Amino acid sequence: MKSPGKSLKEALVCAQSEDRLTVGVYESAKIMTEDPDSVSFCVLATDEQFEWDIALQIHFTLIQSFCFDNDISIVRVSDMQHLADIVGDETEQLEDAHCVLITNPADGSWEDPALEKLHLFCEESRHLNNWVPEISLPER
């Protein structure tokens, strides 16, 4: 069985190719307020450099409670730069890959199998009272 990290990377790459990624805390918050039903999955990323960033922690808390209230699966990754490398492109330097959202396909078509695995992983984690499980992204 694929590791959650591999599934996450696949889901991000797939969503990006279909233009269903939102990157950035403010951009994500905007979509969550305007169209919460469109959000399928949320990834929060931090690393030691940002552990003491109080504003960011407050945003994370708000995003997490929003996800819980709206049944949106949510995970944490501890390597923001690696996440930025996956969801960014070479031309732009991503400063704010702290929050990445995957939205549903506009036409309501099938969901990506990698994303399905992630939803199951999150559901199993919640049964163990791990509400925001941490996933390690596979090596580059």
Side-chain angles (χ1 to χ4, degrees):
M1 190 174 130
K2 245 187 249 149
S3 75
K6 271 206 170 88
S7 296
L8 177 58
K9 185 175 181 177
E10 273 177 34
L12 289 167
V13 169
C14 174
Q16 187 179 35
S17 70
E18 295 171 4
D19 204 25
R20 295 186 295 113
L21 272 192
T22 302
V23 180
V25 170
Y26 294 104
E27 292 79 356
S28 298
K30 195 170 171 225
I31 287 207
M32 288 175 157
T33 1
E34 288 171 4
D35 192 4
D37 291 341
S38 71
V39 180
S40 173
F41 200 81
C42 177
V43 183
L44 296 179
T46 188
D47 40 42
E48 279 142 27
Q49 184 188 344
F50 294 99
E51 258 170 31
W52 308 110
D53 184 331
I54 302 302
L56 186 64
Q57 297 308 324
I58 290 169
H59 283 299
F60 275 11
T61 304
L62 293 170
I63 289 169
Q64 285 170 16
S65 62
F66 183 89
C67 288
F68 299 153
D69 291 348
N70 290 278
D71 287 327
I72 298 165
S73 297
I74 178 171
V75 295
R76 239 177 214 276
V77 296
S78 57
D79 186 346
M80 190 197 82
Q81 194 50 56
H82 192 163
L83 182 65
D85 292 344
I86 294 170
V87 299
D89 59 37
E90 290 74 44
T91 56
E92 59 178 331
Q93 191 51 40
L94 282 177
E95 294 302 313
D96 180 16
H98 292 291
C99 183
V100 177
L101 296 183
I102 298 177
T103 49
N104 296 311
D107 56 6
S109 62
W110 63 261
E111 212 169 51
D112 169 25
L115 204 53
E116 277 301 309
K117 285 193 183 91
L118 288 168
H119 285 307
L120 279 171
F121 170 78
C122 288
E123 205 174 302
E124 287 165 9
S125 297
R126 282 193 297 271
H127 287 303
L128 303 169
N129 285 331
N130 183 0
W131 292 89
V132 187
E134 188 161 320
I135 288 182
S136 298
L137 288 163
E139 291 305 306
R140 292 178 176 84

